[in-house]
Amino acid sequence: MDPRIWSKLPPDVVEHILLLLPLKTLLNLRSTCKAFSSLLFSPSFVSKHSPSSSSSSSPFSSFLLLSHPQCPLYFRLYDSNLSSWRTVSPSLPFSSSFSLASSSGGLFCLLNPSSSSFIRFQGFHAVLSDSCLQQGTFFHGGLYFTTPEPFSVVRFDLESGKWERHVAELPPQLTFVRLVSDDDGEGKLYLVGGIGADGICRSMKVWELTSDGVWVEVVALPEIMCRKFVSVCYHNYEHVYCFWHEGMICVCCYMWPEILYYSVSRRSWDWLPKCPYLPLKCSCGFKWFSFVPKLYASV
């Protein structure tokens, strides 16, 4: 490798590359430089290189990625491990006509609206909203969607290609509903919903779907945080979307540049620090994604 390229690699990338090498090669690298010698015998590196260590663990940081139409060629990344922001400008051959559509498995999916084509699955076109904000949640071999009022959950089976309505009864007095599934291997489906009347959200709660097919309440959002979130949305809950990120349920709004998140392990709510790199007059269109880099990402 060109030494100029090697010297510019971030330390976590260098460490991950070394983790892929066999032990004999690592021992030969001891005399290369003091930095390598110190790293190779550090307790953290030895534990990661150990055969007993989990192959699913990643030495990379995980990021919350913010995309905005006013800055199409720049991504704002929040490092979940270091609790810090950074700005990245990908060196990719695309123009401002492309937008970031999704992030999964260490890959970005870029969308060109002028040249994209989609397959429309028949069966529930009259039930699902045509809103571009409608997103499916993958869980147990299917895509789960929530319908407009009267709220319900429908599922598209990816193997059979058929739609079916989920039979679990939803909690009462819902003003909006969103679905989130964890991708940490535990196989849990969560429902995030507002509780109120006449379309006005007075509280927000999270439920978990049990093995018996019943929604069980997990936690409620504190009142003061709920007031802020409702004021951000202006009671327009179509702009609310949710996703899973490294043990957190993230609740976002296209109108607001902040993330409200619930840590499942700590059982606590919090706001993500506001990005300092956004333009002062940044309007709506804030799109957040979970991004976990991988050296080997299958396409």
Side-chain angles (χ1 to χ4, degrees), residues 128-129 131-138 144-149 151-154 170-171 174-181 188-195 204-209 215 229 233 235-244 249-254 269:
L128 293 178
S129 171
S131 170
C132 62
L133 306 181
Q134 178 74 40
Q135 297 181 356
T137 300
F138 180 76
Y144 286 73
F145 297 85
T146 56
T147 68
E149 294 187 77
F151 298 118
S152 64
V153 176
V154 294
L170 296 182
L174 290 171
T175 55
F176 73 90
V177 287
R178 298 293 183 270
L179 296 172
V180 180
S181 63
K188 294 183 178 181
L189 183 65
Y190 296 94
L191 184 145
V192 180
I195 302 295
M204 193 168 75
K205 297 181 179 181
V206 176
W207 294 265
E208 179 185 333
L209 184 66
W215 292 106
F229 183 77
C233 300
H235 300 294
N236 188 351
Y237 306 118
E238 287 189 358
H239 296 290
V240 176
Y241 61 101
C242 303
F243 61 90
W244 180 269
I249 297 175
C250 300
V251 186
C252 314
C253 179
Y254 286 93
W269 291 92

Short mmCIF file of all heavy atoms in Angstrom, two decimals, residues 128-129 131-138 144-149 151-154 170-171 174-181 188-195 204-209 215 229 233 235-244 249-254 269:
data_model
loop_
_atom_site.label_atom_id
_atom_site.label_comp_id
_atom_site.label_asym_id
_atom_site.label_seq_id
_atom_site.Cartn_x
_atom_site.Cartn_y
_atom_site.Cartn_z
N LEU A 128 -52.60 1.34 2.75
CA LEU A 128 -51.39 2.07 3.07
C LEU A 128 -51.44 3.47 2.48
O LEU A 128 -51.97 3.69 1.39
CB LEU A 128 -50.17 1.33 2.50
CG LEU A 128 -49.85 -0.02 3.14
CD1 LEU A 128 -48.65 -0.64 2.44
CD2 LEU A 128 -49.57 0.12 4.62
N SER A 129 -50.85 4.41 3.20
CA SER A 129 -50.82 5.79 2.73
C SER A 129 -49.83 5.92 1.58
O SER A 129 -48.82 5.22 1.53
CB SER A 129 -50.41 6.72 3.88
OG SER A 129 -50.16 8.01 3.41
N SER A 131 -48.10 8.46 1.17
CA SER A 131 -47.10 9.42 1.62
C SER A 131 -45.70 8.84 1.47
O SER A 131 -45.45 7.67 1.73
CB SER A 131 -47.34 9.79 3.09
OG SER A 131 -46.26 10.54 3.59
N CYS A 132 -44.76 9.70 1.04
CA CYS A 132 -43.38 9.25 0.88
C CYS A 132 -42.73 8.95 2.23
O CYS A 132 -41.64 8.39 2.29
CB CYS A 132 -42.56 10.31 0.14
SG CYS A 132 -42.45 11.89 1.02
N LEU A 133 -43.39 9.33 3.32
CA LEU A 133 -42.84 9.09 4.64
C LEU A 133 -43.15 7.68 5.14
O LEU A 133 -42.64 7.26 6.16
CB LEU A 133 -43.39 10.11 5.64
CG LEU A 133 -43.22 11.58 5.27
CD1 LEU A 133 -43.78 12.47 6.36
CD2 LEU A 133 -41.76 11.91 5.02
N GLN A 134 -44.00 6.96 4.40
CA GLN A 134 -44.37 5.61 4.81
C GLN A 134 -43.16 4.69 4.69
O GLN A 134 -42.55 4.56 3.63
CB GLN A 134 -45.50 5.09 3.93
CG GLN A 134 -45.93 3.67 4.23
CD GLN A 134 -46.73 3.59 5.51
OE1 GLN A 134 -47.56 4.44 5.77
NE2 GLN A 134 -46.49 2.57 6.30
N GLN A 135 -42.78 4.04 5.80
CA GLN A 135 -41.62 3.16 5.80
C GLN A 135 -42.00 1.82 6.41
O GLN A 135 -42.79 1.75 7.35
CB GLN A 135 -40.47 3.77 6.60
CG GLN A 135 -39.93 5.07 6.01
CD GLN A 135 -38.77 5.62 6.82
OE1 GLN A 135 -38.41 5.09 7.86
NE2 GLN A 135 -38.19 6.70 6.34
N GLY A 136 -41.42 0.76 5.85
CA GLY A 136 -41.65 -0.56 6.39
C GLY A 136 -40.58 -0.94 7.38
O GLY A 136 -39.45 -0.46 7.32
N THR A 137 -40.92 -1.82 8.32
CA THR A 137 -39.98 -2.31 9.33
C THR A 137 -39.80 -3.81 9.15
O THR A 137 -40.78 -4.56 9.18
CB THR A 137 -40.51 -2.01 10.74
OG1 THR A 137 -40.67 -0.60 10.90
CG2 THR A 137 -39.54 -2.53 11.79
N PHE A 138 -38.56 -4.24 8.95
CA PHE A 138 -38.30 -5.66 8.73
C PHE A 138 -38.30 -6.40 10.07
O PHE A 138 -37.63 -6.00 11.02
CB PHE A 138 -36.95 -5.86 8.05
CG PHE A 138 -36.62 -7.31 7.81
CD1 PHE A 138 -37.23 -8.01 6.78
CD2 PHE A 138 -35.71 -7.97 8.62
CE1 PHE A 138 -36.94 -9.35 6.55
CE2 PHE A 138 -35.41 -9.31 8.41
CZ PHE A 138 -36.03 -10.00 7.37
N TYR A 144 -43.30 -4.81 8.03
CA TYR A 144 -44.46 -4.38 8.80
C TYR A 144 -44.72 -2.90 8.56
O TYR A 144 -43.78 -2.09 8.56
CB TYR A 144 -44.25 -4.64 10.29
CG TYR A 144 -44.36 -6.09 10.70
CD1 TYR A 144 -43.36 -7.00 10.37
CD2 TYR A 144 -45.46 -6.55 11.41
CE1 TYR A 144 -43.46 -8.33 10.74
CE2 TYR A 144 -45.57 -7.88 11.78
CZ TYR A 144 -44.56 -8.77 11.44
OH TYR A 144 -44.67 -10.08 11.81
N PHE A 145 -45.99 -2.56 8.36
CA PHE A 145 -46.40 -1.18 8.14
C PHE A 145 -47.55 -0.83 9.08
O PHE A 145 -48.32 -1.71 9.49
CB PHE A 145 -46.89 -0.97 6.69
CG PHE A 145 -45.85 -1.21 5.64
CD1 PHE A 145 -45.60 -2.49 5.16
CD2 PHE A 145 -45.13 -0.15 5.10
CE1 PHE A 145 -44.65 -2.72 4.18
CE2 PHE A 145 -44.18 -0.37 4.12
CZ PHE A 145 -43.94 -1.65 3.66
N THR A 146 -47.68 0.44 9.38
CA THR A 146 -48.86 0.92 10.10
C THR A 146 -49.73 1.69 9.11
O THR A 146 -49.23 2.41 8.25
CB THR A 146 -48.47 1.85 11.26
OG1 THR A 146 -47.67 2.93 10.78
CG2 THR A 146 -47.69 1.08 12.31
N THR A 147 -51.02 1.53 9.24
CA THR A 147 -51.96 2.19 8.33
C THR A 147 -52.44 3.51 8.94
O THR A 147 -52.31 3.72 10.15
CB THR A 147 -53.18 1.29 8.09
OG1 THR A 147 -53.93 1.19 9.31
CG2 THR A 147 -52.75 -0.10 7.65
N PRO A 148 -52.99 4.39 8.12
CA PRO A 148 -53.64 5.59 8.66
C PRO A 148 -54.85 5.20 9.51
O PRO A 148 -55.24 4.03 9.56
CB PRO A 148 -54.05 6.37 7.41
CG PRO A 148 -53.22 5.81 6.30
CD PRO A 148 -52.99 4.38 6.65
N GLU A 149 -55.45 6.18 10.17
CA GLU A 149 -56.61 5.90 11.02
C GLU A 149 -57.74 5.27 10.21
O GLU A 149 -57.99 5.68 9.08
CB GLU A 149 -57.09 7.18 11.69
CG GLU A 149 -56.09 7.76 12.69
CD GLU A 149 -56.67 8.93 13.44
OE1 GLU A 149 -57.48 8.70 14.36
OE2 GLU A 149 -56.31 10.06 13.10
N PHE A 151 -56.01 3.06 13.02
CA PHE A 151 -54.68 2.47 12.98
C PHE A 151 -54.73 0.95 13.06
O PHE A 151 -55.52 0.37 13.81
CB PHE A 151 -53.83 3.01 14.15
CG PHE A 151 -53.61 4.49 14.09
CD1 PHE A 151 -54.08 5.31 15.10
CD2 PHE A 151 -52.92 5.06 13.03
CE1 PHE A 151 -53.87 6.68 15.06
CE2 PHE A 151 -52.71 6.42 12.97
CZ PHE A 151 -53.19 7.24 13.99
N SER A 152 -53.86 0.33 12.29
CA SER A 152 -53.68 -1.12 12.34
C SER A 152 -52.29 -1.43 11.81
O SER A 152 -51.59 -0.55 11.29
CB SER A 152 -54.75 -1.84 11.51
OG SER A 152 -54.61 -1.50 10.13
N VAL A 153 -51.88 -2.67 11.95
CA VAL A 153 -50.57 -3.12 11.48
C VAL A 153 -50.78 -4.17 10.40
O VAL A 153 -51.55 -5.12 10.58
CB VAL A 153 -49.72 -3.71 12.63
CG1 VAL A 153 -48.40 -4.26 12.10
CG2 VAL A 153 -49.46 -2.64 13.69
N VAL A 154 -50.11 -3.98 9.26
CA VAL A 154 -50.17 -4.96 8.17
C VAL A 154 -48.76 -5.46 7.89
O VAL A 154 -47.78 -4.77 8.17
CB VAL A 154 -50.81 -4.38 6.90
CG1 VAL A 154 -52.27 -4.04 7.13
CG2 VAL A 154 -50.04 -3.15 6.43
N LEU A 170 -54.11 -3.00 18.96
CA LEU A 170 -53.29 -1.85 19.31
C LEU A 170 -53.82 -1.16 20.56
O LEU A 170 -55.01 -1.26 20.88
CB LEU A 170 -53.25 -0.86 18.14
CG LEU A 170 -52.61 -1.35 16.84
CD1 LEU A 170 -52.61 -0.24 15.80
CD2 LEU A 170 -51.18 -1.83 17.09
N PRO A 171 -52.95 -0.45 21.27
CA PRO A 171 -53.40 0.31 22.45
C PRO A 171 -54.45 1.35 22.06
O PRO A 171 -54.47 1.83 20.92
CB PRO A 171 -52.11 0.97 22.95
CG PRO A 171 -51.00 0.13 22.41
CD PRO A 171 -51.49 -0.37 21.09
N LEU A 174 -54.76 6.21 20.35
CA LEU A 174 -53.53 6.53 19.64
C LEU A 174 -53.74 7.73 18.72
O LEU A 174 -54.76 7.83 18.03
CB LEU A 174 -53.05 5.34 18.82
CG LEU A 174 -52.51 4.14 19.61
CD1 LEU A 174 -52.28 2.95 18.68
CD2 LEU A 174 -51.21 4.51 20.32
N THR A 175 -52.75 8.64 18.69
CA THR A 175 -52.78 9.76 17.76
C THR A 175 -51.82 9.54 16.59
O THR A 175 -51.99 10.13 15.53
CB THR A 175 -52.42 11.07 18.48
OG1 THR A 175 -51.14 10.90 19.14
CG2 THR A 175 -53.47 11.43 19.51
N PHE A 176 -50.80 8.72 16.81
CA PHE A 176 -49.91 8.29 15.73
C PHE A 176 -49.22 7.01 16.18
O PHE A 176 -49.10 6.74 17.38
CB PHE A 176 -48.88 9.37 15.35
CG PHE A 176 -47.79 9.56 16.36
CD1 PHE A 176 -46.61 8.83 16.29
CD2 PHE A 176 -47.92 10.50 17.38
CE1 PHE A 176 -45.59 9.01 17.23
CE2 PHE A 176 -46.92 10.69 18.32
CZ PHE A 176 -45.75 9.94 18.24
N VAL A 177 -48.77 6.21 15.22
CA VAL A 177 -48.07 4.96 15.54
C VAL A 177 -46.90 4.77 14.57
O VAL A 177 -47.01 5.08 13.38
CB VAL A 177 -49.00 3.73 15.45
CG1 VAL A 177 -49.95 3.69 16.61
CG2 VAL A 177 -49.77 3.71 14.14
N ARG A 178 -45.79 4.27 15.10
CA ARG A 178 -44.63 3.91 14.29
C ARG A 178 -44.07 2.59 14.82
O ARG A 178 -44.20 2.28 16.01
CB ARG A 178 -43.54 4.99 14.36
CG ARG A 178 -43.96 6.34 13.81
CD ARG A 178 -44.21 6.31 12.31
NE ARG A 178 -44.53 7.63 11.80
CZ ARG A 178 -45.77 8.12 11.71
NH1 ARG A 178 -46.80 7.38 12.12
NH2 ARG A 178 -45.98 9.33 11.23
N LEU A 179 -43.44 1.83 13.95
CA LEU A 179 -42.87 0.54 14.31
C LEU A 179 -41.35 0.58 14.23
O LEU A 179 -40.78 1.23 13.35
CB LEU A 179 -43.40 -0.56 13.39
CG LEU A 179 -44.90 -0.84 13.44
CD1 LEU A 179 -45.30 -1.81 12.34
CD2 LEU A 179 -45.30 -1.39 14.81
N VAL A 180 -40.70 -0.13 15.15
CA VAL A 180 -39.24 -0.23 15.17
C VAL A 180 -38.88 -1.66 15.55
O VAL A 180 -39.46 -2.21 16.50
CB VAL A 180 -38.61 0.74 16.20
CG1 VAL A 180 -37.09 0.59 16.19
CG2 VAL A 180 -38.99 2.17 15.91
N SER A 181 -37.95 -2.26 14.82
CA SER A 181 -37.45 -3.59 15.20
C SER A 181 -35.96 -3.48 15.48
O SER A 181 -35.24 -2.73 14.81
CB SER A 181 -37.71 -4.60 14.08
OG SER A 181 -37.00 -4.25 12.91
N LYS A 188 -36.98 -8.34 18.47
CA LYS A 188 -38.07 -7.66 19.16
C LYS A 188 -38.67 -6.59 18.25
O LYS A 188 -37.97 -5.92 17.50
CB LYS A 188 -37.58 -7.01 20.46
CG LYS A 188 -37.13 -8.01 21.51
CD LYS A 188 -36.73 -7.31 22.79
CE LYS A 188 -36.33 -8.32 23.87
NZ LYS A 188 -35.94 -7.64 25.14
N LEU A 189 -39.99 -6.46 18.34
CA LEU A 189 -40.71 -5.45 17.58
C LEU A 189 -41.33 -4.47 18.56
O LEU A 189 -42.04 -4.87 19.49
CB LEU A 189 -41.79 -6.09 16.71
CG LEU A 189 -42.58 -5.14 15.80
CD1 LEU A 189 -41.66 -4.54 14.74
CD2 LEU A 189 -43.74 -5.87 15.13
N TYR A 190 -41.05 -3.18 18.35
CA TYR A 190 -41.55 -2.14 19.24
C TYR A 190 -42.54 -1.26 18.50
O TYR A 190 -42.45 -1.07 17.28
CB TYR A 190 -40.41 -1.27 19.77
CG TYR A 190 -39.40 -2.00 20.62
CD1 TYR A 190 -38.24 -2.52 20.06
CD2 TYR A 190 -39.60 -2.16 21.99
CE1 TYR A 190 -37.30 -3.19 20.84
CE2 TYR A 190 -38.67 -2.82 22.78
CZ TYR A 190 -37.52 -3.33 22.20
OH TYR A 190 -36.60 -3.99 22.97
N LEU A 191 -43.47 -0.72 19.25
CA LEU A 191 -44.43 0.25 18.73
C LEU A 191 -44.27 1.55 19.50
O LEU A 191 -44.30 1.56 20.73
CB LEU A 191 -45.85 -0.29 18.86
CG LEU A 191 -46.99 0.57 18.27
CD1 LEU A 191 -48.07 -0.33 17.70
CD2 LEU A 191 -47.59 1.51 19.31
N VAL A 192 -44.05 2.64 18.77
CA VAL A 192 -43.96 3.97 19.35
C VAL A 192 -45.23 4.72 18.98
O VAL A 192 -45.58 4.81 17.80
CB VAL A 192 -42.72 4.73 18.84
CG1 VAL A 192 -42.64 6.11 19.46
CG2 VAL A 192 -41.45 3.94 19.12
N GLY A 193 -45.93 5.23 19.98
CA GLY A 193 -47.21 5.88 19.68
C GLY A 193 -47.52 7.03 20.60
O GLY A 193 -47.06 7.09 21.74
N GLY A 194 -48.30 7.97 20.06
CA GLY A 194 -48.79 9.08 20.86
C GLY A 194 -50.17 8.76 21.40
O GLY A 194 -50.98 8.12 20.74
N ILE A 195 -50.42 9.21 22.62
CA ILE A 195 -51.71 8.98 23.27
C ILE A 195 -52.39 10.33 23.47
O ILE A 195 -51.78 11.29 23.95
CB ILE A 195 -51.53 8.29 24.64
CG1 ILE A 195 -50.81 6.96 24.48
CG2 ILE A 195 -52.87 8.10 25.32
CD1 ILE A 195 -51.58 5.94 23.70
N MET A 204 -46.54 10.11 25.11
CA MET A 204 -45.98 9.19 24.13
C MET A 204 -45.41 7.98 24.87
O MET A 204 -44.76 8.13 25.91
CB MET A 204 -44.88 9.86 23.30
CG MET A 204 -44.47 9.06 22.07
SD MET A 204 -43.44 10.02 20.93
CE MET A 204 -41.90 10.02 21.81
N LYS A 205 -45.66 6.80 24.32
CA LYS A 205 -45.24 5.57 24.98
C LYS A 205 -44.60 4.61 23.98
O LYS A 205 -44.75 4.76 22.77
CB LYS A 205 -46.43 4.89 25.67
CG LYS A 205 -47.08 5.71 26.78
CD LYS A 205 -48.23 4.95 27.43
CE LYS A 205 -48.85 5.76 28.56
NZ LYS A 205 -49.96 5.02 29.22
N VAL A 206 -43.90 3.62 24.54
CA VAL A 206 -43.29 2.55 23.75
C VAL A 206 -43.85 1.23 24.24
O VAL A 206 -43.91 0.98 25.46
CB VAL A 206 -41.76 2.56 23.87
CG1 VAL A 206 -41.16 1.38 23.12
CG2 VAL A 206 -41.18 3.87 23.35
N TRP A 207 -44.28 0.38 23.29
CA TRP A 207 -44.77 -0.96 23.62
C TRP A 207 -43.89 -2.00 22.92
O TRP A 207 -43.28 -1.71 21.89
CB TRP A 207 -46.21 -1.14 23.15
CG TRP A 207 -47.23 -0.30 23.84
CD1 TRP A 207 -48.01 -0.62 24.91
CD2 TRP A 207 -47.62 1.04 23.47
NE1 TRP A 207 -48.85 0.41 25.24
CE2 TRP A 207 -48.64 1.45 24.38
CE3 TRP A 207 -47.21 1.93 22.48
CZ2 TRP A 207 -49.24 2.70 24.31
CZ3 TRP A 207 -47.79 3.18 22.42
CH2 TRP A 207 -48.80 3.56 23.33
N GLU A 208 -43.88 -3.19 23.48
CA GLU A 208 -43.15 -4.31 22.88
C GLU A 208 -44.13 -5.44 22.58
O GLU A 208 -45.02 -5.73 23.39
CB GLU A 208 -42.06 -4.81 23.83
CG GLU A 208 -41.27 -6.00 23.29
CD GLU A 208 -40.28 -6.55 24.31
OE1 GLU A 208 -39.83 -5.77 25.17
OE2 GLU A 208 -39.98 -7.77 24.25
N LEU A 209 -43.96 -6.06 21.41
CA LEU A 209 -44.82 -7.18 21.03
C LEU A 209 -44.29 -8.46 21.67
O LEU A 209 -43.15 -8.87 21.42
CB LEU A 209 -44.86 -7.32 19.51
CG LEU A 209 -45.80 -8.40 18.96
CD1 LEU A 209 -47.26 -8.04 19.26
CD2 LEU A 209 -45.60 -8.57 17.46
N TRP A 215 -49.35 -6.37 22.74
CA TRP A 215 -48.51 -5.19 22.94
C TRP A 215 -48.46 -4.85 24.43
O TRP A 215 -49.47 -4.54 25.03
CB TRP A 215 -49.05 -4.00 22.15
CG TRP A 215 -48.96 -4.15 20.66
CD1 TRP A 215 -49.98 -4.41 19.80
CD2 TRP A 215 -47.77 -4.06 19.87
NE1 TRP A 215 -49.51 -4.49 18.51
CE2 TRP A 215 -48.16 -4.27 18.52
CE3 TRP A 215 -46.43 -3.82 20.16
CZ2 TRP A 215 -47.24 -4.25 17.47
CZ3 TRP A 215 -45.52 -3.80 19.11
CH2 TRP A 215 -45.92 -4.01 17.79
N PHE A 229 -41.41 17.70 22.23
CA PHE A 229 -41.55 16.94 20.99
C PHE A 229 -42.82 17.32 20.24
O PHE A 229 -42.82 17.47 19.02
CB PHE A 229 -41.54 15.44 21.30
CG PHE A 229 -41.61 14.57 20.07
CD1 PHE A 229 -40.48 14.38 19.29
CD2 PHE A 229 -42.79 13.96 19.69
CE1 PHE A 229 -40.54 13.59 18.15
CE2 PHE A 229 -42.85 13.17 18.57
CZ PHE A 229 -41.72 12.99 17.79
N CYS A 233 -43.31 19.09 16.39
CA CYS A 233 -44.09 18.50 15.29
C CYS A 233 -45.27 19.36 14.87
O CYS A 233 -45.86 19.11 13.81
CB CYS A 233 -44.62 17.12 15.71
SG CYS A 233 -43.33 15.94 16.13
N HIS A 235 -48.12 19.17 15.93
CA HIS A 235 -49.24 18.22 15.86
C HIS A 235 -49.41 17.63 14.46
O HIS A 235 -50.48 17.10 14.14
CB HIS A 235 -50.55 18.88 16.32
CG HIS A 235 -50.50 19.38 17.73
ND1 HIS A 235 -50.37 18.54 18.81
CD2 HIS A 235 -50.53 20.64 18.24
CE1 HIS A 235 -50.34 19.26 19.93
NE2 HIS A 235 -50.43 20.53 19.61
N ASN A 236 -48.37 17.72 13.63
CA ASN A 236 -48.40 17.10 12.31
C ASN A 236 -47.54 15.83 12.39
O ASN A 236 -46.36 15.85 12.09
CB ASN A 236 -47.86 18.05 11.25
CG ASN A 236 -48.05 17.50 9.84
OD1 ASN A 236 -48.43 16.34 9.66
ND2 ASN A 236 -47.78 18.32 8.84
N TYR A 237 -48.16 14.73 12.78
CA TYR A 237 -47.40 13.53 13.11
C TYR A 237 -47.00 12.73 11.87
O TYR A 237 -46.31 11.72 12.00
CB TYR A 237 -48.20 12.67 14.08
CG TYR A 237 -48.63 13.44 15.31
CD1 TYR A 237 -49.98 13.64 15.60
CD2 TYR A 237 -47.69 14.02 16.15
CE1 TYR A 237 -50.37 14.37 16.71
CE2 TYR A 237 -48.07 14.75 17.26
CZ TYR A 237 -49.41 14.93 17.53
OH TYR A 237 -49.79 15.67 18.63
N GLU A 238 -47.43 13.15 10.69
CA GLU A 238 -46.96 12.49 9.47
C GLU A 238 -45.46 12.68 9.28
O GLU A 238 -44.82 11.91 8.57
CB GLU A 238 -47.71 13.02 8.25
CG GLU A 238 -49.15 12.55 8.14
CD GLU A 238 -49.77 12.94 6.81
OE1 GLU A 238 -49.06 13.60 6.02
OE2 GLU A 238 -50.92 12.58 6.56
N HIS A 239 -44.91 13.71 9.91
CA HIS A 239 -43.48 14.00 9.77
C HIS A 239 -42.62 13.23 10.78
O HIS A 239 -41.41 13.38 10.80
CB HIS A 239 -43.22 15.50 9.94
CG HIS A 239 -43.84 16.33 8.87
ND1 HIS A 239 -43.40 16.33 7.57
CD2 HIS A 239 -44.89 17.20 8.90
CE1 HIS A 239 -44.13 17.16 6.85
NE2 HIS A 239 -45.04 17.69 7.63
N VAL A 240 -43.25 12.41 11.61
CA VAL A 240 -42.52 11.65 12.63
C VAL A 240 -42.09 10.30 12.04
O VAL A 240 -42.87 9.63 11.37
CB VAL A 240 -43.40 11.42 13.88
CG1 VAL A 240 -42.67 10.55 14.89
CG2 VAL A 240 -43.79 12.76 14.49
N TYR A 241 -40.87 9.91 12.30
CA TYR A 241 -40.38 8.59 11.88
C TYR A 241 -39.43 8.06 12.95
O TYR A 241 -38.88 8.82 13.75
CB TYR A 241 -39.70 8.64 10.51
CG TYR A 241 -38.48 9.53 10.43
CD1 TYR A 241 -37.19 9.01 10.48
CD2 TYR A 241 -38.62 10.92 10.29
CE1 TYR A 241 -36.08 9.82 10.39
CE2 TYR A 241 -37.51 11.74 10.21
CZ TYR A 241 -36.24 11.19 10.25
OH TYR A 241 -35.14 12.01 10.18
N CYS A 242 -39.26 6.75 12.97
CA CYS A 242 -38.45 6.09 13.99
C CYS A 242 -37.52 5.07 13.35
O CYS A 242 -37.81 4.54 12.28
CB CYS A 242 -39.33 5.39 15.03
SG CYS A 242 -40.53 6.44 15.86
N PHE A 243 -36.42 4.79 14.02
CA PHE A 243 -35.52 3.72 13.58
C PHE A 243 -34.69 3.25 14.77
O PHE A 243 -34.65 3.89 15.83
CB PHE A 243 -34.61 4.18 12.43
CG PHE A 243 -33.70 5.33 12.77
CD1 PHE A 243 -32.43 5.11 13.28
CD2 PHE A 243 -34.11 6.64 12.55
CE1 PHE A 243 -31.59 6.16 13.59
CE2 PHE A 243 -33.27 7.70 12.85
CZ PHE A 243 -32.01 7.47 13.38
N TRP A 244 -34.04 2.11 14.58
CA TRP A 244 -33.22 1.50 15.61
C TRP A 244 -31.75 1.82 15.37
O TRP A 244 -31.28 1.79 14.24
CB TRP A 244 -33.42 -0.01 15.60
CG TRP A 244 -32.62 -0.77 16.62
CD1 TRP A 244 -31.37 -1.30 16.47
CD2 TRP A 244 -33.02 -1.09 17.95
NE1 TRP A 244 -30.97 -1.93 17.61
CE2 TRP A 244 -31.96 -1.82 18.54
CE3 TRP A 244 -34.17 -0.85 18.70
CZ2 TRP A 244 -32.03 -2.30 19.85
CZ3 TRP A 244 -34.23 -1.32 20.00
CH2 TRP A 244 -33.17 -2.04 20.56
N ILE A 249 -33.91 3.37 20.49
CA ILE A 249 -35.06 3.68 19.64
C ILE A 249 -35.03 5.18 19.38
O ILE A 249 -35.18 5.99 20.31
CB ILE A 249 -36.38 3.28 20.31
CG1 ILE A 249 -36.42 1.76 20.54
CG2 ILE A 249 -37.57 3.72 19.47
CD1 ILE A 249 -37.64 1.29 21.31
N CYS A 250 -34.79 5.56 18.14
CA CYS A 250 -34.66 6.97 17.78
C CYS A 250 -35.97 7.48 17.20
O CYS A 250 -36.53 6.88 16.28
CB CYS A 250 -33.53 7.16 16.77
SG CYS A 250 -31.91 6.63 17.37
N VAL A 251 -36.45 8.59 17.73
CA VAL A 251 -37.69 9.22 17.28
C VAL A 251 -37.33 10.58 16.69
O VAL A 251 -36.76 11.43 17.37
CB VAL A 251 -38.70 9.38 18.43
CG1 VAL A 251 -40.03 9.89 17.90
CG2 VAL A 251 -38.88 8.06 19.18
N CYS A 252 -37.68 10.77 15.42
CA CYS A 252 -37.24 11.97 14.70
C CYS A 252 -38.43 12.66 14.04
O CYS A 252 -39.51 12.09 13.90
CB CYS A 252 -36.21 11.63 13.63
SG CYS A 252 -34.91 10.51 14.18
N CYS A 253 -38.19 13.88 13.59
CA CYS A 253 -39.19 14.65 12.87
C CYS A 253 -38.49 15.36 11.71
O CYS A 253 -37.42 15.94 11.89
CB CYS A 253 -39.86 15.67 13.79
SG CYS A 253 -41.11 16.69 12.96
N TYR A 254 -39.09 15.30 10.52
CA TYR A 254 -38.50 15.94 9.36
C TYR A 254 -38.41 17.46 9.52
O TYR A 254 -37.67 18.12 8.79
CB TYR A 254 -39.31 15.61 8.10
CG TYR A 254 -39.11 14.21 7.59
CD1 TYR A 254 -39.96 13.18 7.98
CD2 TYR A 254 -38.05 13.90 6.74
CE1 TYR A 254 -39.77 11.89 7.53
CE2 TYR A 254 -37.85 12.61 6.29
CZ TYR A 254 -38.72 11.60 6.68
OH TYR A 254 -38.53 10.31 6.24
N TRP A 269 -34.66 8.22 28.53
CA TRP A 269 -34.86 9.07 27.37
C TRP A 269 -33.83 10.21 27.38
O TRP A 269 -33.40 10.65 28.45
CB TRP A 269 -36.26 9.69 27.38
CG TRP A 269 -37.38 8.74 27.16
CD1 TRP A 269 -38.09 8.07 28.11
CD2 TRP A 269 -37.94 8.36 25.89
NE1 TRP A 269 -39.06 7.29 27.52
CE2 TRP A 269 -39.00 7.45 26.16
CE3 TRP A 269 -37.66 8.69 24.57
CZ2 TRP A 269 -39.77 6.88 25.15
CZ3 TRP A 269 -38.42 8.12 23.56
CH2 TRP A 269 -39.46 7.23 23.85
#
